[in-house]
Amino acid sequence: MTARGRTSSRNPLLIHTLVSTGNRYDPLLAASLAPASRTLYEQARRMCSVAELSASCGLPLGLTRVLIGDLLKIGQLVVHDARPSQDLALLERLRAGLVRLT
């Protein structure tokens, strides 16, 4: 999967939207993906935010959103609801991700 010139996704993904592969990780699918999509897919084996994925994969946020949207479309990623008890932990992870970008 590549962005193929697309700049947005049909899924409204905020920077704090949490995604993961859930229990759906498929190594054969991972091997068949384009490098950027493969990196995102493999990083999403643990639940993390869109911003964290963007930072950890070294991809622009817009491209990250498009590629996550593609993986959601084929049912390989899961969007998780943020729980109130996760708010502080989420903010700490977002802060850490932003610090890594600087």
Side-chain angles (χ1 to χ4, degrees), residues 4-85:
R4 293 183 219 104
R6 294 171 293 150
T7 58
S8 64
S9 169
R10 290 184 180 170
N11 302 305
L13 296 169
L14 302 174
I15 62 169
H16 62 274
T17 300
L18 298 173
V19 297
S20 77
T21 58
N23 58 2
R24 301 177 180 161
Y25 181 78
D26 180 354
L28 293 176
L29 173 71
S32 72
L33 296 172
S37 294
R38 181 180 319 120
T39 301
L40 281 172
Y41 184 63
E42 290 174 347
Q43 290 289 320
R45 290 175 82 169
R46 66 173 183 83
M47 188 184 338
C48 49
S49 71
V50 172
E52 287 177 294
L53 284 172
S54 178
S56 67
C57 295
L59 297 172
L61 186 57
L63 176 59
T64 301
R65 286 178 169 148
V66 169
L67 297 178
I68 289 172
D70 290 345
L71 291 166
L72 286 168
K73 184 177 172 183
I74 62 170
Q76 295 301 314
L77 288 183
V78 178
V79 174
H80 302 274
D81 292 329
R83 306 278 187 258
S85 63

